[in-house]
Amino acid sequence: MIELKGKPVADSVFTEITNQLTLFTEKKWAMPHLVVVLVGENPASEVYVSHKEKACQKLNFKSTLVKLPETATESDVRQTLEKLNQDQSVDAVLLQLPLPAHLDSKKLTEVIYPNKDADGLTQASLGALMAGQQKVASCTSAGIIKMLEFYNINVVNKKVVVVGRSLIVGLPLFHLLLQKNATVTLCHSKTENIKQVLQDADVAFVAIGKPNFFKATDFKKGATVIDVGIHRLPEGLCGDVNPESAAGHLSAMTPVPGGVGPMTIAMLMKNTMTLALENRIG
Ligand code: NAP
């Protein structure tokens, strides 16, 4: 079984961005500027945000972290985002999710201008994706497509299944796969007989947020499985798929950790670069 590692793919994205940066130096443009808005003190979010800052440093991007307290009101977050929308020096804005329970993440994400929407989560960005006209798409989903390209995984004329329909992973991935001419079945918590559907799939993408929920043998023999899930258990990190017995059953699978994870940050940098170029060139 081939282990589909994210690091070499993420490295190739970093190289692509570094090449694009030469234009910024030549034209004496300000470096791409990403602002992350973090509300409250979620330890996992703090780790992700520090990885994002490190990635910006590595590329010499400008990175700003705006921290708001757990008690921030909807109006506080809205005002912060509106200010960033107006700030000409800011290319890309990411509202770190999840937000504290009293805040409505869909409503607040919508405040971000689409031309600064680093994770492609506003309705305008999602609509553009559905129309095949997106500038950027959700970092995790776009990162998975990069992995398919890097590892030459063909999805045309294959039976492809996505499990999970969240706006951040499953649904954008479904649309990106359609754009790749895959014929895609999208499953969710109300789908009956998912395991039967999986037994027919050549390539399966799993993003349900439930640790070790699927067994390798739930998939067709010889299938390729992309596990998006990531969970911190007392015994360590794991995905939505239990990798036990994957080796003799699947042809390829992403490890957790080290599979899809590194792609999310790499694509956040790529999306920031795309938005920065749009802002410079129009
Ligand atoms: P989410 O918002 O909770 O969505 C989960 C989706 O899975 C929903 O569409 C839900 O269906 C579906 N689902 C739940 N239980 C199911 C079941 N038993 N059978 C079939 N479908 C089921 O989660 P998310 O934000 O998409 O994240 C999914 C996983 O990916 C999580 O583990 C998350 O940590 C991980 N993730 C990883 C990265 C990364 O960088 N590696 C990035 C983002 C997310 P309904 O719509 O019917 O409720």
Side-chain angles (χ1 to χ4, degrees):
M1 184 189 73
I2 301 165
E3 245 202 341
L4 305 168
K5 292 194 172 152
K7 170 104 179 25
V9 196
D11 287 347
S12 75
V13 173
F14 274 83
T15 305
E16 238 177 76
I17 300 170
T18 306
N19 292 338
Q20 287 176 296
L21 278 175
T22 53
L23 186 66
F24 282 69
T25 318
E26 274 167 30
K27 303 263 184 199
K28 298 190 168 46
W29 288 338
M31 283 289 141
H33 182 191
L34 170 68
V35 179
V36 176
V37 178
L38 176 63
V39 188
E41 272 152 29
N42 178 324
S45 292
E46 289 191 353
V47 172
Y48 291 138
V49 167
S50 79
H51 288 162
K52 287 164 189 171
E53 286 185 305
K54 276 190 199 128
C56 282
Q57 273 168 21
K58 190 168 155 186
L59 289 164
N60 211 14
F61 280 15
K62 185 168 179 203
S63 145
T64 305
L65 173 61
V66 178
K67 276 182 116 173
L68 297 176
E70 188 80 28
T71 51
T73 62
E74 186 178 310
S75 157
D76 296 333
V77 183
R78 180 178 286 277
Q79 277 176 30
T80 301
L81 295 171
E82 279 167 353
K83 223 166 123 190
L84 295 169
N85 283 339
Q86 299 305 328
D87 186 339
Q88 301 283 326
S89 79
V90 173
D91 293 303
V93 178
L94 184 116
L95 178 61
Q96 183 67 44
L97 303 178
L99 294 176
H102 66 283
L103 296 172
D104 181 336
S105 57
K106 279 192 186 153
K107 209 163 149 190
L108 285 167
T109 296
E110 214 41 49
V111 177
I112 302 169
Y113 279 175
N115 68 341
K116 298 196 179 194
D117 178 12
D119 210 4
L121 288 181
T122 60
Q123 288 174 15
S125 302
L126 290 167
L129 174 65
M130 195 174 153
Q133 301 285 321
Q134 75 278 5
K135 292 189 183 100
V136 299
S138 121
C139 301
T140 305
S141 319
I144 292 168
I145 298 295
K146 280 272 177 198
M147 290 185 89
L148 298 183
E149 289 165 356
F150 185 90
Y151 288 109
N152 288 318
I153 298 166
N154 175 28
V155 288
V156 185
N157 289 325
K158 294 279 167 64
K159 288 187 178 159
V160 175
V161 173
V162 175
V163 192
R165 58 173 165 180
S166 70
L167 290 183
I168 201 159
V169 187
L171 202 59
L173 181 58
F174 170 81
H175 285 288
L176 290 170
L177 288 164
L178 279 184
Q179 288 179 17
K180 285 271 174 201
N181 295 319
T183 302
V184 196
T185 303
L186 182 59
C187 300
H188 46 76
S189 69
K190 307 290 184 290
T191 308
E192 286 185 1
N193 300 326
I194 286 196
K195 293 191 179 169
Q196 214 167 308
V197 179
L198 291 178
Q199 281 300 328
D200 211 24
D202 302 306
V203 189
F205 301 83
V206 181
I208 68 165
K210 300 215 161 120
N212 292 322
F213 186 85
F214 291 106
K215 300 190 293 289
T217 48
D218 289 334
F219 302 89
K220 181 175 163 180
K221 189 159 174 58
T224 294
V225 175
I226 310 294
D227 185 357
V228 188
I230 184 139
H231 311 276
R232 199 171 293 275
L233 300 183
E235 56 274 25
L237 293 175
C238 76
D240 288 348
V241 181
N242 186 336
E244 253 177 53
S245 69
H249 188 74
L250 301 175
S251 64
M253 186 177 172
T254 51
V256 178
V260 173
M263 292 312 300
T264 300
I265 303 261
M267 293 312 289
L268 177 62
M269 298 301 112
K270 183 73 183 160
N271 284 357
T272 300
M273 168 54 91
T274 302
L275 297 175
L277 273 173
E278 279 272 322
N279 282 347
R280 307 289 181 284
I281 300 170

